[in-house]
Amino acid sequence: MNRINQLFENKKNNILTVYFTAGFPELNDTLTILKSAEEAGADIVEIGMPFSDPLADGPTIQASGDKALENGMSIAKLFEQLKDMRKEISIPVLLMGYLNPVHRYGWDKFLQQCEYCGIDGLILPDLPIEEYKSDFKDKFEKIGLSNVFLITPQTPNERIRMIDELSTGFIYMVSSASTTGAKSGITEEQEAYFNRIAQMELKSPVQIGFGISDRGSFNRACEFADGAIIGSAFIKAIQKSGSIDVNVKNFISSIK
Amino acid sequence: MTVKEDKLTALAVENMPDENGFFGEYGGRFIPPALESIMEEIEQAYLEIRKDPAFIEELAVLNKHFTGRPSPVYHCKALSEAIGGGQIYLKREDLNHTGAHKINHCLGEALLAKRLGKKKIIAETGAGQHGVALATAAALVGLECDIYMGEVDIAKEYPNVVRMQILGAKVVPVGHGLKTLKEAVDAAFEAYLADPVTQLYAIGSVVGPHPFPMMVRDFQSIIGREAREQIQEMTGKLPDNLVACVGGGSNAIGLFSAFLQDEDVNIYGVEPSGSSLNYGEHAATLSLGTPGLIHGFKSYVLQDDEGNPAPVNTIASGLDYPGVGPQHSYLKDVERVNYEVINNDEAIDAFFRLSREEGIIPAIESSHAVAYAMKLAATLDRDQTILINLSGRGDKDIDFVVENYGKKYGIE
Ligand SMILES: Cc1ncc(COP(=O)(O)O)c(C=O)c1O
């Protein structure tokens, strides 16, 4: 059983996932942040592979990606940084990114490296479901890699059912039809949407992402789903001056 | 059917793209799920209205009485004579209301937005021509309009910025990256994602996720349909050669689409080689790019080793894009269209040459097509013809041209 399934098996709620961009604030901070996050009690970590034109990301994540690219971050560098990760890290680690850099790096090599480093899942917002089914599903499953699909308030129910069938890890519920970036609070409209999904009784665990920024919004999101994902607010916290390790731990303890 | 006939049939406009929006392996829809259902909505609505007699009639009336279609075809006798080779003809899209071909798809997109009950129509613009045309269409049908434009282009194409504002549109400056067309597309997508329900993204060329490349092409294909009749009336035959500039590729596909199955018509798409063909100094996507993904579709892309879009540079803001319409990528691979390059200096030379020989000031974008056609004409016999799509007029460019190149052409 892979680490994602194990986690959701053992822990039924309040799963905290943090997202940060590889190579940010400094090129070699990736592993430090990962370790601090695990020590502080994050349940899952998503590492963003920076891309210059990230269509699904808001200003904070975009800016961190631009800085990371400037720092010289690349997929090849990331795998280099993560090659011994599993000697120290035991929580699930996912990579999030866009298709073109992965195409360019080469899919076979990419999947080999994921397996070698111990990556548990991928989040690729611009990978169409049909393409996943025809070209990637078998390859991912062979190495125990979960593909995480995103759903939004506009996703039709039949599509959500299809996604639920295909999912082997969890479903990423985007809280509004927007880009990432800590918009605070949960609106009535969002609540109706969360309830609608909850009533579908999906087989896969669901995590809410986009717009979760503090303990209040985290707890609120966890009332509707198995857990929540914090990206922009986490990135803002780690770019504060001072020790990264301390910043990561302060932020995570402010949530949990 | 022979293999050759098969191949030609495959090129017919009605056979491209397939139902998933693919032109061969290019095109498609590679977008975050927040946009997926919206794209499906746009596709369904478009497939309905394009068969709706009321919509067809409304657009036809606007094309005639608002835009001033059909745009004429003009024989450049003096220029052809001076070159001493083939006969050059212009399809005068520069004479359209708002000064370029962009109005052809903007009217269609604005009517579609209205039909879908949208409040606002948004888009990116490079040279400002698409922005002006969309602001015009929005004013006409009664929609709000936001136009995203890179700060570099705002400075360079300032008259168009003011025109958009006079028309009641909001011009939103884009200050990241190179501050040109690609970044403007990023910003427009971002704004669209923030509210895909009350807005419609009216993309400015045959690029982006399905159905944009198909829809914009269909609206632009009026250029080719008109030109095909007009040139035959004037010369008694089909043109021997077609030439159009290629940024995203909308004016080019608009002209080419009516001739793709005529294998005796040679077709040339002209990309900008900027100041050189070195990395970052041009925007010759089909000539030097490799297949990849950009802004939600698969096509040739100028990209770096890590798969990020490469920096691009040309004096033609409307051509300054590291991607290109997917149908052009297909037409390149099947070798139906030849993609050539023209650099900044050649384009400026053509800008002055057409102005001074014929009394027509072309847009810098269109000047690339004129420059290539002049080279081509010199290699042809006098009874051979070249039809250029003169996609726009140069009014927007005069300050930039005079400031940077005036001296060389005797303007102090
Ligand atoms: C006059 C003119 N021609 C051509 C273009 C390039 O666009 P496309 O390649 O889509 O025709 C532009 C874009 O702004 C333009 O203003």
Side-chain angles (χ1 to χ4, degrees), chain A residues 50-53 55-59 62 66 69 73-75 98-105 125-129 131 150-152 154-156 159 174 176-179 183, chain B residues 22 29-38 40 176-177 182-183 185-186 189-190 192-197 290-296 298 301 303-309:
Chain A
F51 178 50
S52 65
D53 296 67
L55 287 185
D57 291 316
Q62 271 192 36
D66 288 346
L69 289 172
M73 197 63 213
S74 64
I75 292 180
Y98 292 81
L99 289 181
N100 203 50
V102 181
H103 277 319
R104 187 81 177 176
Y105 181 79
D126 56 352
L127 175 63
I129 298 185
E131 192 116 338
L150 284 76
I151 61 173
T152 78
Q154 274 79 38
T155 312
R159 202 162 182 93
V174 179
S176 70
S178 182
T179 52
K183 251 196 241 151
Chain B
F22 282 93
R29 191 185 275 158
F30 299 84
I31 47 178
L35 279 179
E36 222 163 64
S37 35
I38 299 292
E40 264 156 39
H176 75 270
K182 176 185 75 82
E183 290 78 18
V185 177
D186 291 341
F189 261 113
E190 201 179 299
Y192 194 37
L193 268 160
D195 176 12
V197 180
T290 47
L293 291 165
I294 184 169
H295 293 138
K298 192 166 177 204
V301 178
Q303 49 186 328
D304 67 16
D305 293 341
E306 266 75 57
N308 298 294

Side-chain angles (χ1 to χ4, degrees), chain B residues 102-215:
Chain B
K102 300 281 182 189
I103 192 74
N104 299 333
H105 66 250
C106 287
L107 289 176
E109 288 176 323
L111 292 180
L112 178 67
K114 195 78 182 169
R115 180 74 67 109
L116 283 165
K118 305 288 180 185
K119 257 180 56 201
K120 188 191 273 185
I121 192 156
I122 64 168
E124 81 295 340
T125 195
Q129 287 305 118
H130 175 64
V132 166
L134 195 68
T136 300
L140 175 73
V141 307
L143 291 164
E144 292 172 37
C145 181
D146 288 353
I147 300 294
Y148 295 80
M149 189 168 185
E151 287 172 356
V152 167
D153 292 332
I154 288 182
K156 185 152 132 212
E157 311 282 357
Y158 199 68
N160 273 344
V161 175
V162 179
R163 289 166 83 199
M164 289 185 263
Q165 289 167 336
I166 290 174
L167 290 159
K170 188 167 110 196
V171 178
V172 185
V174 178
H176 75 270
L178 294 176
K179 307 178 173 81
T180 59
L181 185 54
K182 176 185 75 82
E183 290 78 18
V185 177
D186 291 341
F189 261 113
E190 201 179 299
Y192 194 37
L193 268 160
D195 176 12
V197 180
T198 70
Q199 313 186 102
L200 182 84
Y201 184 9
I203 209 158
S205 189
V206 284
V207 296
H210 182 57
F212 288 142
M214 167 179 80
M215 189 167 88

Side-chain angles (χ1 to χ4, degrees), chain B residues 62-69 71 92-104 106-107 129 132-137 139-140 163 167 391-393:
Chain B
L62 289 176
N63 279 336
K64 181 167 175 206
H65 297 283
F66 188 73
T67 304
R69 304 205 69 90
S71 65
R92 298 289 309 273
E93 292 298 299
D94 62 313
L95 290 178
N96 294 340
H97 179 41
T98 71
H101 69 289
K102 300 281 182 189
I103 192 74
N104 299 333
C106 287
L107 289 176
Q129 287 305 118
V132 166
L134 195 68
T136 300
L140 175 73
R163 289 166 83 199
L167 290 159
S391 54
R393 66 178 86 134

Side-chain angles (χ1 to χ4, degrees), chain B residues 100-102 127 129 204-205 245-252 318-319 363 365-366 391-392 396:
Chain B
H101 69 289
K102 300 281 182 189
Q129 287 305 118
S205 189
C245 66
V246 178
S250 65
N251 88 86
L319 307 180
E365 289 76 14
S366 324
S391 54
K396 67 186 174 61

